[in-house]
Structure formats: structure tokens, C-alpha cells
Amino acid sequence: MSKRIGTFNVNGKNADTIVEPQMLLVDVLREKLDLTGTKRACAAGNCGACTVLADGDPICSCITLAVAAEGREIETVEGLRAADGTLHPLQQAFIDHCAAQCGYCTAGMLMTAKALLEANPRPTREDVKRALSGNSCRCTGYVKIIDAVMDAAQQINAAKEVAA
Amino acid sequence: MTALDPIPEGGFGDAVTRREDLRLTTGQGRFLDDIVLAGMAHMATVRSDRAHARIVSVDVETARQADGVLAVLTGADFAASGWGDIPCESMPPAITKGQWVRTPYPALLTDRVMAMGDLVAIVVAESRKAALDAVELVEVAYDDLPVVTSLEAALSEDAPQLYENAPGNRVFSAQIGDADAVEAAFAKATHVVPLTTRQPRMAHASMEMRGSIGVYDARMGRYELTTSTQNPHSVRRLLASSILKVPAHKVRVSAGDVGGAFGLKGRVYPEDVLVLWAAERLRRPVKWVPTRSEAFVADFHGRDQMADGEMAFDAEGRILGLRATTVHNLGCRLGPATGVSPFLSARMLAGPYAMPAAHVRVEGVFSNTRTTTSFRGAGRPEATYFLERMLDKAAAQIGLDPAEIRRRNLLTADQMPYKTALIDRYDCGDFKAVFERAVTLADWGGFETRRAQSAANGKLRGQGISCFVEVSALSNERMELRFDLTGAATVIAGTFSHGQGHHTLYAQMVQDWLGLPFEQISVVDGDTDQVAYGGGTYASRSVTVGGSALRRACDEIIAKGKTIAARLMQASEDELTFEKGLYVRRDSNERMSLSEVAVASYRVLGHPADLGVGLEATGTYTAQPQNYPNGCHIVEVEVDPDFGTVTLVDYIAVDDVGVAVNPLLLEGQLIGSTAMGVGQALIEQVVYDDAGQQVTAAFTEYGVPRATHMPPIRSELLNTPTDTNPLGVKGGAEVGTIAAPPAIIRAIEDAIGCPSASLTLPTSAEKILDALHKTNDKKKAKP
């Protein structure tokens, strides 16, 4: 199998690693870059646990060829925190609302929600449900995840208003 | 939901956010597949694509030659190793009298596969990809055998017999209750209502699949298994005593973060055995993580039960007696916990009602399907579904409102303690008061207005109700509390948190009981090398058994600390009181904190030799008797008559969990368990075709609820603390799984106007449209 050096921009940093043609983005993130926060749960694009952002759009890293992610800005759960360690409002809201139980779907939920709030800063509950409908959670029953996303939207908007 | 104001730390009863969540929201969880060990090889599996066949030959030569392959091992190799079978250890002797069929269960099969997904061989390779690729090169020749693909097929008279010693494919046929008393009850009945219900086969489908890493420590002659489990000690016990036949100290089982289990991950699986076996042979760590489709066919399933019986009522709709036969499809062979659900289900058919007589025959059957095991609720959902649908049907037959028939039969506080006609003795609770609160909260009587409003929007609205009592707190538990020489405390827990937030709950308890600062308390669980004994976490047990044992450990710490403090303060123990973490000498300003006492207990100089070294205590709790959570859930649905789709528009849950240790976490359990009930009601079902092929092996084929399925939930607690444990708590993690399905199905029937108990689980849009058409045809036929 042919191999070559691939360059990936992940969480604002470039990283070079050896890639093979069949490798998936989730494999590069987890196995080459040690970013294990992104989870592999179905490897078929059905459950959303592997969701990362590519140029701001949520994608399933388990069905994205690694080579197709080169040249795109990839963002994973590890990149959500500010440089000073401050939690992203979504992370804080997930903690405040107890929106994680086992935590396996959490990274995917956070990344999907981040993309939603960037595209739609004032979502309705129905908007949130629709946005998260590709992300499975087997523990929480979703209600607290939806609560957390609604709360985070408010926090982000309030912070923006203060800044403006 | 209840208005909560979460706080980052607090005591017993506070809505404390979880200390687990910082790591889980920042991508720092450490799940099985996140672990990489030096020199680690990867295992992939060769599984049967047949439902029932003789294994004629297994050709592994081509696979052995493939790049990166380290070993290809077959059932013959495993048989030669002398490793033992996986036993079934869950058939209650008091009920079965030992009369049940034992099945061989080696980790790799040699002669016969009995279900799709059965293990025939393994490949171990340098990478997961190399192992998976080489699996395709293993050639297995089969000779197909006749197939039994379902519970119904297993029972049919001309069914192939899967085991020579199991005539009629029966695993067991046992009974509880009093058949003569039931006979007498039916003799004086005004109404007799027959009913058959069918529980679909369910897949736990935890977001993190099972997975294991085996290490053989040749230096110490010791086996180390890291696995995604909910019960490390049970895995170790089975490995040591049944499979390896070595002392338990030769086996270590540990787990990191575990991504959900729901009964799936309670005991040992063949793949756990195989990674250890391969690791010993290869002298390298061996990891197995399945593909999702592999998990769907390899994982044990849940439910798959039929209940058939009749209930006798007097003229006013009061229950006189119940007779029922339940049949559980246990799959092709028995797993360790396969016996749990059938017998829990049988005994909980006593229900939350005054039921003077009951008799239940409970049977298990073999079929060419995957082994079944506990699934969230484990037997209580099966029992509750049958009873609640029975009351719905009886209400229609007798001419009563579904709420009214329950009102006439539910047990009240002044009937407690109540000995059921089957096995249990409910110690406390006011089932009727819980019900009345739910009926009020839901405005049950005002429903017709809301029905009319929905009708104006072209939607069919219905309401359904379900009452239940369940049993929780199984087995015994042991908790240690150990102070270190900095004066901080560690809880060493026999329970094992895999999403429930125990590390927060136990810290709350210790903060409250010992007056320690929250950050001075840590919790260790999930490692048999660190935890001497434990029962793991399942069946809503942990807060009851773990919390009660921890309470006793804390009480012992207070007493031991007092002895040390008295010496240090040159006082008598009678002079000291313990308040909020301080030993205070009566009528003086002298005080010492528990942490100071703990630090002193490690001093080489100055600490009296007769007091030993250190400060630690062990608390135990044995659930004799168990406790009985109960509740009443009411659902309103809207059905779209054109598409047959169901929207849950309102969900009211009133539950009695005794005492809430952390209302925030409890809500999470309540909503999460309800989601599983919603799934069972509407979409979840493992399906086998007529050849025994499992056709649900992906999330596109096996539906799990999504965010869009979930209703808003209005939840209240109406608690009656139990005095069967020191905390007063009852289980609270399975309520919605138990209560939701019958209420939802009844609500759909009410919406579309079809007869009570005519729809079956899961109620798909197809079934709803079919029922709607039949109902409409009947209406048209009437002049």
C-alpha cells in the first residue's frame, strides 16, 4: 500500500503524518495525532460520535478519507477550550446541565452544536433537535443536551452584546 | 422539569454538577479504544454467517500467510488449551430447583454454530486493518442444519430440536404462585380478560461497543484484562473460577471510562477470554474492538418475551387473580446472566395492585438467535407491559376509564407492608397517591379539550397511562474509605460507574457525613487490583447498596477517629462529639478536624501503637430485603393520520425513589431511561429473517431514538423513604424504561381509536396506518 506524508491543519496547528490512501480522518486524528476525544462508534456515518468540523461544517470523520481533509481547517473537541483553558460556553453548559452521562457521544454533540450556533445563533428548541438528529445518545434522552445548547446560545449572545 | 440550581460541589440531596464532566466535555475521557499499549497486537474475529450449521472445516493457511498476521486460531486450538466454558449463573435455585438445561459455551466453537455471529476463529495481527483483512481469507465450510428463528418457531410442535437434552427446546419450565387460589379466584369472577403480549428482541447498542485488551504478565504468571464492562469483579470471578481455574489474584480486570452498558456489559464474554488466550500465546498485549455490525450480531440481546394469560375481576373492576405463562427466547445458549430477566419478570407480575391470587409459569426456550441477557429494566418492563395492557383491555371490556380501573386497584400506604401473591413483600410506598398526583399533573380529566384542539390541526390525539412497581438493589456491596497521610479521603467503591456519576454522588455523601471539603474526597472504582470486592453497577443498585455500605464505612471512620482524637486531646471519648468534620470537646474550645486526626494516625512518633496505623474503614450492605421504586407515567401523543407518525407531545412522570441523593443526576436517569422506553415503544427491534439471518446489524436497520423523538418531560417525585436501608433510597435508573412503553402504546390506540391492546411493539408508522385503515373501514361499514 502506498504511503505519503500528509499535512493536516487541526485546531489551528499543522501536523505532518504518514497517510495511506484508505485511511479515514478519524484514524489520523485518533491514531496519528493522539486526539482521542473524537470517537469511533459506527464507522458508517450513522451516529455522529465522530463529528468534527471541517472549515466550520460538521462532518463524520469516520467516513471522510483522511486525504480529503488535507487543506481544510479541522476542529476537534480538543480545540474547543480557549488557549487559557477557559471552557467554551457549550462545554460549560454541558457541565451545568449534566448533559453528558457516559460521555461517548459528547464530543460529537459539542461539535455539531458549535456548528449550529455559528450558523444560527438564536435557535429554537426544534432547531436544536433537528441539528442534533444525526447524533445518537443512548444515555441522556437528549433533553439535557438540548437544554445545554439553548443555554450556551444565550451565554454566547449575552457575551457578544456585552462586547458590542 | 423541576427547577434546579446546580452547584459544583455540595452534600447529600444537592443538585451537584458532575466532577466527571470536565474530562468528558474536553475530550479527555479514556475509553477502551483510547488505550494503546507497547507491542499491542489486534484481534479480529471469524464469525458464522449461518444460523445453524455443522462446522466441516476451517482453512486458515492463506490467512496465516497474509502480511502482518501473527496467528490464526480456531476452535480446535482453543479446545486443546483446556480453558473452561462460560457458565450460566443466574437460574434461581429456589424456583428452578436446579431443573434447567446446561449448555456448552467455549469461547471458540469446534463442531456446531448455532446463531449468526457465533465465533469460529480469530486472527491476531500487527494492525486492526491487517487482522480484519485476513479474516476474509479464512475459509469455513459448513453443513447447514434446520433453523429455529424465533420464540414462536421454537415452540411449534415440529420445531427442530436444538439440544438433545432439551425436549421442545425448553430450557426450563418453572412456576411461582398458588394455582389453587387462582382457580378459586376465577370461579367467582364477573369479568375474565385474556391477553397475549409480545416483547420485541432489543439491542443495547451502547454508544461505546464492547471491547477488550488482554495482557499476559509472564513475569508474574498473571492475566490482565482491560475491558468495557459494568462489573469488573464479576468478569474476574468468572475468568478465574470457571475459565482459567486459577486463584482470583492471578487475574486483574479493570476498566476506564465506559460508554454505556444497560445490562449488556455485566459479565464475561467470549472475546474477553480470547484476548487473554491470544495474549498468553503470543506474549503480546492483544486488543479487540468490534465493528458496529459485528457488535450487533455478537452482543447479547435483551427482552424477546411472550406473556399469555388472563385476569379475573369482580363486578366493580377489582382484580381477583392473575394466571399467566411467560416464555422467554433465551437464544442459542445460556450466558452468565441469561436467567435474570425471566424470573424478575415473573415475580414482578404481582404489580402495584392489590392482587389476592396469582400464578405464573415461566419458561425459557432455545432458538438459533443470539443469547439474551439483562436489558435496562431486566424483566420489570416485560411484566409491567403485560399488566398495564391487561388493565387497559379490562377497562374497555368492563366499561371503565383506564385511570379509574387503576384507581380501584392500586395499593395505598395503609396497605403496606404488602405481601404479594407471588414472591415479594413491598415494604412501603403509596402507589395510589403517586397515581393521583400524576393524573392531576396531566389533567387527565381535561383531555377531551386537548383532543379537540389537536383534531382542529388535523392530528389525532391520545392519552395513555401506566403504573408500575419494580424491585431494585440486588446482591451485596462493600465500600472502603481510606484516609491518606495528607488527611484526604479516598472512597474505594465496589460499584462501578459507567455514566451514572458515582464519583460525584459518593463525594456528596462523604462531604455531608464526614464534613470533608469536596476536593479532599476522591473515588476509585473499576479495578480489581484496587478494589477488593465489588458487585458492579446494574439494576439501579448502586446508590442503595454502595451508598448504604459507604454510610457504614463513614460511621466506622467517625468512631475510629474519635478514639484517636480522644487520645490526642487527652479526653475521654464520651467528652467528644463529632460535628461537621470536627471532634469537639464538650464545654471547651478544644477541637480537631477529622483530617488532622487522619494525619496523626500515620505518625511514627506520638501515635499510640495500640491504635494501629492509619485511618480506614470498610462498610458492607446486603440487600435483604430489596426495595421497591414505583411510579405513574402519563403520555399524550399526536398521530399524523396521513403518515402514521407519532409525536409525543406531553410526558408526565411521578416517581417514588425514596430519597433523591442528587436531583440533577436523578433527572438524567429518569429522562434517559424514558428514552429507552420510547425506543422500545416506537422503533427498536432486532429482526431475524426466515433463514436466521439477523437483518438488523447497523444503526440504519436498528432504530435508536434521536433528539427528535423525545418529548418534553414533566417530572415530579412523591417519595416514601424506605427503612430497608440506612439512606431511605430506592432505585431510580430504570423507571422510564419500565413505564413508557405501555403508556405510549395505549396513547396511540386511544388516538387512532383502535381496540385496547391491539397494537404490538414496536408500533411503527406502518402498523399505525394499517390499524387506522381498519378502524376507518369499520366506521364506514356502520350505517
Short mmCIF file of all heavy atoms in Angstrom, two decimals, chain B residues 348 351-352 380 384 416 424 426-431 434 467-474 539-541 544 626-633 654-659 666 717-720 722 724-725 728-736 738:
data_model
loop_
_atom_site.label_atom_id
_atom_site.label_comp_id
_atom_site.label_asym_id
_atom_site.label_seq_id
_atom_site.Cartn_x
_atom_site.Cartn_y
_atom_site.Cartn_z
N MET B 348 -42.42 -9.92 39.21
CA MET B 348 -42.97 -8.58 39.20
C MET B 348 -44.35 -8.52 38.53
O MET B 348 -44.97 -7.47 38.45
CB MET B 348 -42.01 -7.60 38.54
CG MET B 348 -40.74 -7.35 39.34
SD MET B 348 -40.93 -7.32 41.15
CE MET B 348 -41.75 -5.75 41.40
N GLY B 351 -47.22 -6.78 40.33
CA GLY B 351 -47.59 -5.41 40.02
C GLY B 351 -47.88 -4.54 41.22
O GLY B 351 -47.73 -4.96 42.37
N PRO B 352 -48.31 -3.30 40.96
CA PRO B 352 -48.56 -2.34 42.03
C PRO B 352 -50.00 -2.42 42.58
O PRO B 352 -50.46 -1.50 43.24
CB PRO B 352 -48.32 -0.99 41.34
CG PRO B 352 -48.72 -1.22 39.92
CD PRO B 352 -48.39 -2.67 39.61
N ARG B 380 -38.64 -6.28 34.57
CA ARG B 380 -39.71 -5.39 35.05
C ARG B 380 -40.47 -4.75 33.89
O ARG B 380 -41.70 -4.64 33.96
CB ARG B 380 -39.17 -4.32 36.00
CG ARG B 380 -38.69 -4.85 37.34
CD ARG B 380 -37.22 -5.24 37.32
NE ARG B 380 -36.37 -4.23 37.92
CZ ARG B 380 -35.05 -4.16 37.71
NH1 ARG B 380 -34.45 -5.00 36.89
NH2 ARG B 380 -34.34 -3.24 38.30
N THR B 384 -44.44 -5.25 33.50
CA THR B 384 -45.28 -4.05 33.53
C THR B 384 -46.08 -3.90 32.24
O THR B 384 -47.25 -3.53 32.27
CB THR B 384 -44.39 -2.80 33.77
OG1 THR B 384 -43.75 -2.95 35.03
CG2 THR B 384 -45.21 -1.52 33.76
N MET B 416 -49.47 -1.14 53.38
CA MET B 416 -48.06 -1.57 53.49
C MET B 416 -47.75 -2.00 54.92
O MET B 416 -48.28 -1.40 55.85
CB MET B 416 -47.13 -0.43 53.09
CG MET B 416 -47.28 0.01 51.66
SD MET B 416 -46.71 -1.28 50.53
CE MET B 416 -47.42 -0.71 48.99
N ASP B 424 -42.68 -11.21 46.39
CA ASP B 424 -42.17 -10.04 47.09
C ASP B 424 -43.06 -9.56 48.23
O ASP B 424 -44.24 -9.90 48.31
CB ASP B 424 -41.99 -8.89 46.08
CG ASP B 424 -40.86 -9.20 45.12
OD1 ASP B 424 -41.11 -9.92 44.11
OD2 ASP B 424 -39.74 -8.78 45.39
N TYR B 426 -43.72 -5.83 49.53
CA TYR B 426 -43.45 -4.39 49.36
C TYR B 426 -43.42 -3.76 50.74
O TYR B 426 -44.39 -3.85 51.50
CB TYR B 426 -44.54 -3.72 48.52
CG TYR B 426 -44.77 -4.35 47.15
CD1 TYR B 426 -46.04 -4.37 46.58
CD2 TYR B 426 -43.71 -4.89 46.42
CE1 TYR B 426 -46.26 -4.92 45.33
CE2 TYR B 426 -43.92 -5.46 45.17
CZ TYR B 426 -45.21 -5.48 44.63
OH TYR B 426 -45.42 -6.03 43.40
N ASP B 427 -42.31 -3.09 51.06
CA ASP B 427 -42.18 -2.57 52.43
C ASP B 427 -42.90 -1.26 52.62
O ASP B 427 -43.40 -0.96 53.71
CB ASP B 427 -40.70 -2.41 52.79
CG ASP B 427 -40.01 -1.38 51.91
OD1 ASP B 427 -39.87 -1.61 50.70
OD2 ASP B 427 -39.62 -0.32 52.44
N CYS B 428 -42.93 -0.43 51.58
CA CYS B 428 -43.55 0.88 51.74
C CYS B 428 -43.90 1.47 50.38
O CYS B 428 -43.56 0.91 49.35
CB CYS B 428 -42.60 1.83 52.48
SG CYS B 428 -41.16 2.31 51.51
N GLY B 429 -44.54 2.59 50.40
CA GLY B 429 -44.94 3.26 49.17
C GLY B 429 -46.42 3.56 49.21
O GLY B 429 -47.18 2.92 49.94
N ASP B 430 -46.81 4.58 48.45
CA ASP B 430 -48.24 4.88 48.30
C ASP B 430 -48.51 4.98 46.81
O ASP B 430 -48.48 6.05 46.22
CB ASP B 430 -48.58 6.19 49.01
CG ASP B 430 -50.09 6.35 49.17
OD1 ASP B 430 -50.84 5.74 48.36
OD2 ASP B 430 -50.52 7.05 50.10
N PHE B 431 -48.72 3.81 46.20
CA PHE B 431 -48.82 3.74 44.75
C PHE B 431 -50.01 4.56 44.24
O PHE B 431 -49.95 5.18 43.19
CB PHE B 431 -48.94 2.29 44.28
CG PHE B 431 -47.84 1.38 44.79
CD1 PHE B 431 -48.01 0.00 44.82
CD2 PHE B 431 -46.62 1.89 45.23
CE1 PHE B 431 -47.00 -0.84 45.28
CE2 PHE B 431 -45.60 1.06 45.70
CZ PHE B 431 -45.80 -0.31 45.73
N VAL B 434 -49.24 8.33 44.30
CA VAL B 434 -48.36 8.65 43.16
C VAL B 434 -49.21 8.79 41.90
O VAL B 434 -49.07 9.73 41.12
CB VAL B 434 -47.27 7.56 43.01
CG1 VAL B 434 -46.57 7.65 41.67
CG2 VAL B 434 -46.25 7.67 44.15
N CYS B 467 -48.81 2.45 35.36
CA CYS B 467 -48.34 2.42 36.75
C CYS B 467 -47.41 1.22 36.89
O CYS B 467 -47.56 0.22 36.21
CB CYS B 467 -49.51 2.24 37.72
SG CYS B 467 -50.72 3.58 37.62
N PHE B 468 -46.45 1.35 37.77
CA PHE B 468 -45.53 0.22 37.93
C PHE B 468 -44.94 0.21 39.33
O PHE B 468 -44.90 1.21 40.03
CB PHE B 468 -44.38 0.31 36.91
CG PHE B 468 -43.42 1.43 37.21
CD1 PHE B 468 -42.25 1.21 37.95
CD2 PHE B 468 -43.68 2.72 36.78
CE1 PHE B 468 -41.38 2.24 38.24
CE2 PHE B 468 -42.81 3.77 37.08
CZ PHE B 468 -41.66 3.53 37.81
N VAL B 469 -44.50 -0.97 39.71
CA VAL B 469 -43.60 -1.10 40.85
C VAL B 469 -42.47 -1.99 40.36
O VAL B 469 -42.68 -2.89 39.55
CB VAL B 469 -44.30 -1.70 42.09
CG1 VAL B 469 -44.85 -3.09 41.79
CG2 VAL B 469 -43.35 -1.78 43.28
N GLU B 470 -41.27 -1.69 40.77
CA GLU B 470 -40.15 -2.54 40.36
C GLU B 470 -39.35 -2.89 41.60
O GLU B 470 -39.63 -2.42 42.70
CB GLU B 470 -39.30 -1.85 39.30
CG GLU B 470 -38.70 -0.53 39.76
CD GLU B 470 -37.26 -0.37 39.31
OE1 GLU B 470 -36.57 -1.40 39.20
OE2 GLU B 470 -36.83 0.77 39.10
N VAL B 471 -38.36 -3.74 41.41
CA VAL B 471 -37.52 -4.13 42.53
C VAL B 471 -36.09 -3.75 42.19
O VAL B 471 -35.61 -3.98 41.09
CB VAL B 471 -37.66 -5.63 42.85
CG1 VAL B 471 -37.32 -6.49 41.64
CG2 VAL B 471 -36.79 -6.04 44.03
N SER B 472 -35.41 -3.11 43.14
CA SER B 472 -34.02 -2.74 42.87
C SER B 472 -33.16 -3.06 44.09
O SER B 472 -33.68 -3.49 45.12
CB SER B 472 -33.91 -1.26 42.51
OG SER B 472 -34.08 -0.46 43.65
N ALA B 473 -31.88 -2.83 43.94
CA ALA B 473 -30.88 -3.15 44.98
C ALA B 473 -30.67 -4.65 45.07
O ALA B 473 -31.22 -5.33 45.93
CB ALA B 473 -31.29 -2.60 46.35
N LEU B 474 -29.85 -5.15 44.16
CA LEU B 474 -29.58 -6.58 44.16
C LEU B 474 -28.23 -6.86 44.82
O LEU B 474 -27.31 -6.05 44.74
CB LEU B 474 -29.56 -7.10 42.72
CG LEU B 474 -30.86 -6.88 41.94
CD1 LEU B 474 -30.68 -7.25 40.49
CD2 LEU B 474 -31.99 -7.70 42.55
N ALA B 539 -29.08 -2.63 37.41
CA ALA B 539 -30.37 -2.79 38.10
C ALA B 539 -30.60 -1.74 39.19
O ALA B 539 -31.14 -2.05 40.24
CB ALA B 539 -30.49 -4.21 38.68
N SER B 540 -30.20 -0.51 38.94
CA SER B 540 -30.47 0.60 39.87
C SER B 540 -30.00 0.29 41.28
O SER B 540 -30.67 0.61 42.25
CB SER B 540 -31.98 0.93 39.90
OG SER B 540 -32.47 1.12 38.62
N ARG B 541 -28.85 -0.37 41.38
CA ARG B 541 -28.44 -0.86 42.69
C ARG B 541 -27.50 0.08 43.44
O ARG B 541 -27.43 0.06 44.67
CB ARG B 541 -27.75 -2.21 42.54
CG ARG B 541 -26.34 -2.15 41.92
CD ARG B 541 -25.78 -3.53 41.59
NE ARG B 541 -25.52 -4.35 42.75
CZ ARG B 541 -24.37 -4.34 43.45
NH1 ARG B 541 -23.39 -3.52 43.09
NH2 ARG B 541 -24.21 -5.12 44.47
N THR B 544 -28.28 2.57 46.42
CA THR B 544 -28.75 1.82 47.59
C THR B 544 -27.63 1.02 48.23
O THR B 544 -27.30 1.23 49.41
CB THR B 544 -29.88 0.84 47.22
OG1 THR B 544 -30.98 1.55 46.68
CG2 THR B 544 -30.34 0.07 48.45
N GLN B 626 -34.84 -6.17 49.48
CA GLN B 626 -34.60 -5.19 48.42
C GLN B 626 -35.59 -4.03 48.57
O GLN B 626 -36.34 -3.99 49.54
CB GLN B 626 -34.73 -5.89 47.07
CG GLN B 626 -33.70 -7.00 46.93
CD GLN B 626 -33.97 -7.88 45.73
OE1 GLN B 626 -34.79 -8.78 45.75
NE2 GLN B 626 -33.26 -7.60 44.66
N ASN B 627 -35.55 -3.10 47.64
CA ASN B 627 -36.54 -2.01 47.74
C ASN B 627 -37.37 -1.88 46.47
O ASN B 627 -37.04 -2.47 45.44
CB ASN B 627 -35.86 -0.70 48.15
CG ASN B 627 -34.85 -0.23 47.14
OD1 ASN B 627 -35.19 0.02 45.99
ND2 ASN B 627 -33.60 -0.10 47.57
N TYR B 628 -38.43 -1.10 46.56
CA TYR B 628 -39.46 -1.12 45.53
C TYR B 628 -39.79 0.28 45.00
O TYR B 628 -40.75 0.91 45.46
CB TYR B 628 -40.71 -1.82 46.06
CG TYR B 628 -40.41 -3.26 46.43
CD1 TYR B 628 -40.05 -3.62 47.72
CD2 TYR B 628 -40.41 -4.24 45.44
CE1 TYR B 628 -39.71 -4.93 48.03
CE2 TYR B 628 -40.08 -5.55 45.74
CZ TYR B 628 -39.73 -5.90 47.04
OH TYR B 628 -39.40 -7.19 47.33
N PRO B 629 -38.99 0.78 44.07
CA PRO B 629 -39.33 2.04 43.41
C PRO B 629 -40.66 1.86 42.66
O PRO B 629 -40.99 0.76 42.22
CB PRO B 629 -38.19 2.25 42.41
CG PRO B 629 -37.13 1.27 42.78
CD PRO B 629 -37.81 0.15 43.49
N ASN B 630 -41.38 2.94 42.52
CA ASN B 630 -42.67 2.85 41.82
C ASN B 630 -43.01 4.18 41.21
O ASN B 630 -42.40 5.20 41.55
CB ASN B 630 -43.75 2.38 42.80
CG ASN B 630 -43.88 3.32 43.99
OD1 ASN B 630 -44.63 4.27 43.96
ND2 ASN B 630 -43.08 3.07 45.05
N GLY B 631 -43.99 4.18 40.35
CA GLY B 631 -44.33 5.43 39.71
C GLY B 631 -45.54 5.31 38.82
O GLY B 631 -46.12 4.22 38.65
N CYS B 632 -45.92 6.45 38.28
CA CYS B 632 -47.02 6.51 37.33
C CYS B 632 -46.62 7.50 36.24
O CYS B 632 -46.26 8.64 36.54
CB CYS B 632 -48.30 6.96 38.02
SG CYS B 632 -49.67 7.18 36.87
N HIS B 633 -46.63 7.05 35.00
CA HIS B 633 -46.28 7.91 33.88
C HIS B 633 -47.49 8.05 32.95
O HIS B 633 -48.21 7.08 32.71
CB HIS B 633 -45.10 7.33 33.10
CG HIS B 633 -43.80 7.37 33.86
ND1 HIS B 633 -42.57 7.33 33.25
CD2 HIS B 633 -43.54 7.44 35.20
CE1 HIS B 633 -41.61 7.39 34.17
NE2 HIS B 633 -42.17 7.45 35.36
N VAL B 654 -44.41 10.77 37.55
CA VAL B 654 -44.35 10.93 39.00
C VAL B 654 -43.77 9.63 39.57
O VAL B 654 -44.29 8.55 39.30
CB VAL B 654 -45.73 11.22 39.62
CG1 VAL B 654 -45.62 11.34 41.13
CG2 VAL B 654 -46.31 12.50 39.02
N ASP B 655 -42.66 9.77 40.26
CA ASP B 655 -41.94 8.59 40.72
C ASP B 655 -41.64 8.66 42.21
O ASP B 655 -41.50 9.74 42.78
CB ASP B 655 -40.63 8.44 39.95
CG ASP B 655 -40.86 8.08 38.49
OD1 ASP B 655 -41.28 6.95 38.24
OD2 ASP B 655 -40.67 8.96 37.63
N ASP B 656 -41.52 7.48 42.80
CA ASP B 656 -41.12 7.35 44.20
C ASP B 656 -39.79 6.61 44.22
O ASP B 656 -39.74 5.40 43.97
CB ASP B 656 -42.19 6.56 44.97
CG ASP B 656 -41.72 6.11 46.35
OD1 ASP B 656 -40.67 6.59 46.82
OD2 ASP B 656 -42.42 5.26 46.96
N VAL B 657 -38.71 7.38 44.44
CA VAL B 657 -37.38 6.78 44.51
C VAL B 657 -36.84 6.82 45.94
O VAL B 657 -35.64 6.73 46.16
CB VAL B 657 -36.38 7.46 43.55
CG1 VAL B 657 -36.86 7.34 42.12
CG2 VAL B 657 -36.18 8.93 43.91
N GLY B 658 -37.75 7.00 46.88
CA GLY B 658 -37.34 7.00 48.30
C GLY B 658 -36.76 8.34 48.71
O GLY B 658 -37.42 9.14 49.37
N VAL B 659 -35.53 8.56 48.31
CA VAL B 659 -34.82 9.80 48.61
C VAL B 659 -33.95 10.12 47.40
O VAL B 659 -33.32 9.21 46.84
CB VAL B 659 -33.91 9.63 49.86
CG1 VAL B 659 -33.03 10.85 50.07
CG2 VAL B 659 -34.74 9.36 51.11
N LEU B 666 -30.44 12.38 39.07
CA LEU B 666 -31.64 11.54 39.05
C LEU B 666 -32.49 11.86 37.83
O LEU B 666 -32.98 10.97 37.14
CB LEU B 666 -32.43 11.74 40.34
CG LEU B 666 -33.69 10.89 40.45
CD1 LEU B 666 -33.33 9.42 40.61
CD2 LEU B 666 -34.56 11.35 41.61
N LEU B 717 -41.32 14.05 41.99
CA LEU B 717 -41.10 12.93 42.89
C LEU B 717 -42.16 12.98 43.98
O LEU B 717 -42.52 14.06 44.46
CB LEU B 717 -39.71 13.01 43.53
CG LEU B 717 -38.53 12.96 42.56
CD1 LEU B 717 -37.21 13.12 43.32
CD2 LEU B 717 -38.53 11.65 41.77
N LEU B 718 -42.69 11.83 44.33
CA LEU B 718 -43.55 11.74 45.50
C LEU B 718 -42.99 10.58 46.32
O LEU B 718 -43.41 9.43 46.19
CB LEU B 718 -45.00 11.48 45.08
CG LEU B 718 -46.04 11.72 46.16
CD1 LEU B 718 -46.06 13.18 46.59
CD2 LEU B 718 -47.42 11.31 45.68
N ASN B 719 -41.98 10.91 47.10
CA ASN B 719 -41.16 9.87 47.70
C ASN B 719 -41.70 9.35 49.03
O ASN B 719 -42.18 10.13 49.85
CB ASN B 719 -39.74 10.42 47.97
CG ASN B 719 -38.92 10.48 46.70
OD1 ASN B 719 -39.15 9.71 45.77
ND2 ASN B 719 -37.97 11.40 46.65
N THR B 720 -41.61 8.06 49.20
CA THR B 720 -41.78 7.43 50.50
C THR B 720 -40.46 6.76 50.83
O THR B 720 -40.13 5.73 50.26
CB THR B 720 -42.89 6.37 50.48
OG1 THR B 720 -44.10 6.96 50.01
CG2 THR B 720 -43.11 5.80 51.88
N THR B 722 -37.68 4.45 52.23
CA THR B 722 -37.76 3.08 52.74
C THR B 722 -36.88 2.95 53.98
O THR B 722 -35.84 3.61 54.08
CB THR B 722 -37.31 2.05 51.68
OG1 THR B 722 -37.29 0.75 52.28
CG2 THR B 722 -35.91 2.37 51.14
N THR B 724 -35.58 0.07 54.69
CA THR B 724 -34.81 -1.16 54.46
C THR B 724 -33.32 -0.88 54.25
O THR B 724 -32.53 -1.81 54.15
CB THR B 724 -35.33 -1.92 53.22
OG1 THR B 724 -35.31 -1.04 52.08
CG2 THR B 724 -36.75 -2.40 53.44
N ASN B 725 -32.95 0.40 54.13
CA ASN B 725 -31.52 0.71 54.06
C ASN B 725 -31.28 2.02 54.81
O ASN B 725 -32.20 2.80 55.03
CB ASN B 725 -31.03 0.78 52.61
CG ASN B 725 -31.65 1.93 51.83
OD1 ASN B 725 -31.37 3.10 52.08
ND2 ASN B 725 -32.51 1.61 50.86
N GLY B 728 -32.60 5.38 53.08
CA GLY B 728 -34.00 5.56 52.68
C GLY B 728 -34.22 5.55 51.19
O GLY B 728 -35.34 5.78 50.71
N VAL B 729 -33.16 5.29 50.42
CA VAL B 729 -33.25 5.40 48.96
C VAL B 729 -33.83 4.14 48.33
O VAL B 729 -33.78 3.04 48.89
CB VAL B 729 -31.86 5.67 48.34
CG1 VAL B 729 -31.30 7.00 48.81
CG2 VAL B 729 -30.89 4.53 48.67
N LYS B 730 -34.40 4.34 47.13
CA LYS B 730 -34.81 3.24 46.26
C LYS B 730 -34.16 3.48 44.91
O LYS B 730 -33.64 4.56 44.65
CB LYS B 730 -36.33 3.23 46.11
CG LYS B 730 -37.11 3.20 47.42
CD LYS B 730 -38.62 3.35 47.17
CE LYS B 730 -39.39 3.40 48.49
NZ LYS B 730 -40.85 3.61 48.25
N GLY B 731 -34.18 2.49 44.05
CA GLY B 731 -33.58 2.65 42.73
C GLY B 731 -34.28 3.70 41.92
O GLY B 731 -35.45 4.00 42.13
N GLY B 732 -33.55 4.29 40.96
CA GLY B 732 -34.19 5.33 40.17
C GLY B 732 -33.71 5.40 38.73
O GLY B 732 -33.90 6.40 38.06
N ALA B 733 -33.09 4.34 38.23
CA ALA B 733 -32.43 4.45 36.93
C ALA B 733 -33.13 3.71 35.81
O ALA B 733 -32.64 3.69 34.70
CB ALA B 733 -30.99 3.95 37.05
N GLU B 734 -34.26 3.11 36.13
CA GLU B 734 -34.91 2.30 35.09
C GLU B 734 -36.39 2.65 34.92
O GLU B 734 -37.09 2.02 34.14
CB GLU B 734 -34.74 0.82 35.42
CG GLU B 734 -33.30 0.39 35.33
CD GLU B 734 -33.01 -0.92 36.03
OE1 GLU B 734 -33.21 -0.99 37.25
OE2 GLU B 734 -32.58 -1.85 35.36
N VAL B 735 -36.84 3.66 35.65
CA VAL B 735 -38.27 3.93 35.74
C VAL B 735 -38.93 4.14 34.38
O VAL B 735 -39.98 3.56 34.08
CB VAL B 735 -38.56 5.11 36.69
CG1 VAL B 735 -38.24 4.72 38.12
CG2 VAL B 735 -37.74 6.35 36.31
N GLY B 736 -38.30 4.97 33.53
CA GLY B 736 -38.93 5.28 32.25
C GLY B 736 -38.92 4.11 31.29
O GLY B 736 -39.85 3.93 30.50
N ILE B 738 -39.33 1.15 32.10
CA ILE B 738 -40.41 0.28 32.55
C ILE B 738 -41.77 0.87 32.22
O ILE B 738 -42.65 0.21 31.70
CB ILE B 738 -40.28 0.04 34.07
CG1 ILE B 738 -38.98 -0.70 34.38
CG2 ILE B 738 -41.49 -0.72 34.60
CD1 ILE B 738 -38.59 -0.70 35.85
#
